[in-house]
């Protein structure tokens, strides 16, 4: 009698280099891929932009499975109930999945693994989401890392040398397929097509991920260490959402970059180091699972945020702060579901240091609007900007968005693309439109005046930060 295994897919929506799928195919004759919509008690269930991506990614995966003679079985959660029913319906002897590292997923998975094993099932989990498991590296004293450089010095020596597992040629179907709800029935796709601009930039799914990696290897990886900071140029990989949803494995990206033809070693090293930051983010999330809502550094719990910041937060969300680079970034986010990383740092600094709104307000907005919203990376990034997390920016670092745009968008091309009302301004004035004087453009009418004074708000932030640690009062940037 042939044996059947379920492969529980979550954020590993691919066929190639999928350890759980590969193990199931090696050990069992029939393999049933399963996706369960289960976020009922998850405090960080996916936001609107991520769900829009997920809808297309699941559709692409189902199509790819059908080409191998298989299909994706979709069920509504909770996972224990849905998967338990499938085990009974199919007579499955095993269930395999790839691990996730947030506290909600870990608690659920550990409970289910124990129950299924007690019931006699072969229940196993694998690493298909990271290069290095969070518990595989530690400091000399046996503690988790809080600083990236020593973490990466250790972790980068442990990257698996194996080649990514090839895509299977066929998945033998069971004698009878269990029932499945449609992907449409999950309600992931927006009813109002606010996401239409996303798909002019991105192609969700494994094929889209592989195409994005090929483009990067042929183009932007050369010069990456310099051009990645310039938002108007095609200088980054734009692989983050593909990696987050597991449409391509981090190992495939690591080796793909490392084997890029004619790519200078300095560019490969800088890109692989960015993968290292993703590893570090998951390391921190795993070991300090309170950080999505609480600062890692307890001292910053009492930071004096601005009273009545809500109108300024609304201006920030909609890209109407009167600061061109900030507004360009926030409008890029709304239009495409993605924002250039340099600009992410600038808009985050502006929110927490100039507006002085809580970093969690920014983290939650990014969570709902980014297609690549990842709990580990989102948390690390926002706590870095706020100065309250692991390997955080020095508390006195406040990005000046005018200097940033003058340096990294010197000709104003990025600003003009997303803030078209400034397109007629010259390359100098476009960074500070409130200084413009002329009859064809009126600051405050054609484009908002700055919602805060950059110098004053910076000094107020430094005073507030220094109040938490009087010994640092008077420190300079």
């Amino acid at each position: 009698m042939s044996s059947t295994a379920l492969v529980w897919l979550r954020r590993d929506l691919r066929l190639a280099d999928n350890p759980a799928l590969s193990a199931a195919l090696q050990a069992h004759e029939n393999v049933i891929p399963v996706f369960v919509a289960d976020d009922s008690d998850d405090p960080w269930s996916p936001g609107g932009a991520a769900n829009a991506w997920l809808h297309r990614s699941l559709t692409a995966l189902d199509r790819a499975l059908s080409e191998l003679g298989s299909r994706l079985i979709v069920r509504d959660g909770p996972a224990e109930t849905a998967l338990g029913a499938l085990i009974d319906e199919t007579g499955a002897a095993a269930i395999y999945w790839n691990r996730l590292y947030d506290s909600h997923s870990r608690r659920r998975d550990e409970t289910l693994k124990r129950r299924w094993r007690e019931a006699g099932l072969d229940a196993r989990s694998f690493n298909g989401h990271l290069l290095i498991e969070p518990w595989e590296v530690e400091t000399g004293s046996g503690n988790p890392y809080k600083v990236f450089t020593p973490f990466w010095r250790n972790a980068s020596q442990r990257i698996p040398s194996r080649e990514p597992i090839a895509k299977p040629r066929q998945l033998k179907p069971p004698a009878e397929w269990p029932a499945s709800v449609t992907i449409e029935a999950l309600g992931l796709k927006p009813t109002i097509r606010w996401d239409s601009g996303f798909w002019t930039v991105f192609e969700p799914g494994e094929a889209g991920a592989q195409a994005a990696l090929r483009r990067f290897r042929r183009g932007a990886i050369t010069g990456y260490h310099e051009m990645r900071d310039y938002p108007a140029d095609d200088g980054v990989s734009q692989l983050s959402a593909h990696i987050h949803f597991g449409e391509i494995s981090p190992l495939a990206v690591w080796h793909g970059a490392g084997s890029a033809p004619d790519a200078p070693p300095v560019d490969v090293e800088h890109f692989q180091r960015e993968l290292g930051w993703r590893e570090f983010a998951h390391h921190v999330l795993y070991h300090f699972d309170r950080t999505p809502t609480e600062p890692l550094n307890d001292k910053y719990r009492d930071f004096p945020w601005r009273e009545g910041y809500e109108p300024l937060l609304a201006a920030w969300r909609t890209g109407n702060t009167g600061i061109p680079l900030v507004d360009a970034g926030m409008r890029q986010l709304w239009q495409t579901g993605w924002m250039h990383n340099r600009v992410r740092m600038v808009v985050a600094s502006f929110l927490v240091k100039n507006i002085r709104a809580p970093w969690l307000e920014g983290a939650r907005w990014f969570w709902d609007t980014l297609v690549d919203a990842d709990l580990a990376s989102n948390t690390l990034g926002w706590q870095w900007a706020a100065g309250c997390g692991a390997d955080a920016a020095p508390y006195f670092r406040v990005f000046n968005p005018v200097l940033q745009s003058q340096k990294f968008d010197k000709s104003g091309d990025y600003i003009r693309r997303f803030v078209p009302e400034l397109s007629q301004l010259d390359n100098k004035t476009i960074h500070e439109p409130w200084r413009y004087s002329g009859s064809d453009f009126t600051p405050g009418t054609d484009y908002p005046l700055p919602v805060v004074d950059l110098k004053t708000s910076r000094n107020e932030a430094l005073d507030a930060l220094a109040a938490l640690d009087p010994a640092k009062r008077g420190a300079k940037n």
Side-chain angles (χ1 to χ4, degrees):
M1 183 176 179
S2 62
S3 62
T4 297
L6 304 181
V7 176
W8 180 20
L9 300 168
R10 290 98 68 83
R11 289 203 297 274
D12 48 353
L13 305 180
R14 64 182 183 273
L15 301 179
D17 202 39
N18 187 321
L21 177 62
S22 178
L25 289 170
Q26 290 178 18
H28 300 273
E29 185 174 3
N30 301 322
V31 172
I32 301 176
V34 181
F35 179 84
V36 177
D38 178 19
D39 57 13
S40 55
D41 59 347
D42 186 352
W44 290 94
S45 56
N51 275 334
W53 183 291
L54 178 59
H55 173 88
R56 289 175 176 254
S57 187
L58 290 172
T59 301
L61 177 62
D62 187 41
R63 185 166 55 247
L65 284 166
S66 69
E67 294 172 357
L68 300 183
S70 184
R71 67 179 65 171
L72 181 65
I73 300 301
V74 179
R75 293 284 178 97
D76 285 315
E80 180 179 9
T81 303
L83 293 169
L86 271 172
I87 290 168
D88 292 340
E89 293 167 23
T90 62
I95 180 167
Y96 299 160
W97 65 91
N98 294 310
R99 287 186 280 274
L100 298 174
Y101 302 93
D102 62 279
S103 59
H104 169 78
S105 297
R106 285 164 52 199
R107 286 194 298 267
R108 177 194 60 196
D109 294 358
E110 289 166 3
T111 298
L112 293 181
K113 181 184 288 187
R114 182 178 63 254
R115 289 177 181 173
W116 286 330
R117 286 181 171 177
E118 290 173 353
L121 267 73
D122 179 15
R124 284 190 274 165
S125 61
F126 301 84
N127 177 16
H129 197 61
L130 297 173
L131 294 169
I132 302 295
E133 299 275 30
W135 54 85
E136 290 180 344
V137 290
E138 57 186 22
T139 67
S141 57
N143 295 315
Y145 285 96
K146 294 183 180 180
V147 179
F148 172 73
T149 298
F151 164 83
W152 189 234
R153 188 182 301 120
N154 185 339
S156 62
Q157 303 304 311
R158 303 170 182 267
I159 306 299
S161 58
R162 70 167 178 85
E163 290 295 317
I165 304 167
K167 172 184 172 181
R169 296 182 178 180
Q170 184 180 11
L171 276 74
K172 184 177 179 180
E176 183 177 351
W177 282 105
S180 173
V181 302
T182 65
I183 296 171
E184 292 281 345
L186 299 180
L188 302 170
K189 186 169 65 174
T191 53
I192 301 173
R193 299 307 307 277
W194 47 259
D195 64 328
S196 57
F198 297 7
W199 319 125
T200 64
V201 181
F202 298 107
E203 179 191 349
E206 185 170 14
Q210 293 172 345
L213 179 59
R214 286 194 298 271
R215 286 194 299 272
F216 180 60
R217 294 175 74 243
R218 290 195 301 262
I221 194 170
T222 299
Y224 177 83
H225 77 288
E226 292 180 345
M227 299 309 298
R228 66 193 177 101
D229 281 323
Y230 294 87
D233 297 308
D234 185 20
V236 295
S237 72
Q238 293 192 330
L239 281 164
S240 54
H242 296 295
I243 297 173
H244 169 73
F245 283 98
E247 297 167 351
I248 192 168
S249 74
L251 188 66
V253 175
W254 175 274
H255 285 301
S259 61
D262 304 321
V266 65
D267 293 318
V268 173
E269 179 183 352
H270 271 75
F271 177 71
Q272 291 181 332
R273 187 178 176 86
E274 292 302 307
L275 294 177
W277 275 100
R278 178 178 180 271
E279 298 289 313
F280 181 58
H282 280 83
H283 179 85
V284 173
L285 178 67
Y286 177 85
H287 290 288
F288 306 99
D289 61 7
R290 62 183 172 84
T291 52
T293 57
E294 301 176 24
L296 179 62
N297 189 332
D298 288 337
K299 177 176 63 179
Y300 291 92
R301 289 177 183 271
D302 299 323
F303 180 80
W305 303 111
R306 183 190 300 269
E307 294 183 7
Y309 63 78
E310 289 80 7
L312 301 180
L313 174 64
W316 178 83
R317 286 174 171 172
T318 57
N320 286 290
T321 67
I323 306 296
L325 185 61
V326 172
D327 292 344
M330 298 307 293
R331 295 185 194 187
Q332 180 185 29
L333 172 60
W334 189 253
Q335 293 173 30
T336 72
W338 183 84
M339 190 192 304
H340 189 278
N341 189 60
R342 164 63 59 174
V343 186
R344 293 189 197 199
M345 293 189 290
V346 173
V347 304
S349 175
F350 184 78
L351 181 69
V352 299
K353 301 287 177 66
N354 296 102
I355 290 178
R356 282 203 354 265
W359 63 268
L360 195 53
E361 294 278 16
R364 285 173 172 149
W365 185 251
F366 271 24
W367 184 256
D368 194 46
T369 54
L370 280 169
V371 292
D372 63 3
D374 180 272
L375 188 60
S377 296
N378 196 45
T379 300
L380 186 77
W382 277 99
Q383 292 206 10
W384 182 91
C388 65
D391 204 12
Y395 85 100
F396 52 77
R397 179 179 294 164
V398 182
F399 282 97
N400 183 315
V402 173
L403 296 180
Q404 288 286 309
S405 63
Q406 289 171 339
K407 181 176 182 179
F408 296 110
D409 190 33
K410 187 175 182 179
S411 63
D413 291 341
Y414 177 75
I415 292 172
R416 288 188 178 90
R417 185 183 310 165
F418 293 105
V419 191
E421 58 265 45
L422 300 178
S423 58
Q424 74 271 33
L425 300 185
D426 61 65
N427 291 354
K428 180 178 180 180
T429 310
I430 196 170
H431 304 288
E432 300 176 279
W434 54 89
R435 300 185 184 278
Y436 183 81
S437 60
S439 59
D440 57 337
F441 177 85
T442 304
T445 299
D446 297 316
Y447 178 68
L449 292 171
V451 294
V452 294
D453 179 81
L454 293 177
K455 182 177 180 179
T456 301
S457 60
R458 177 185 185 275
N459 290 335
E460 290 172 348
L462 293 180
D463 288 344
L465 287 161
L468 297 176
D469 189 353
K472 292 182 178 179
R473 187 178 300 276
K476 299 294 184 180
N477 193 344

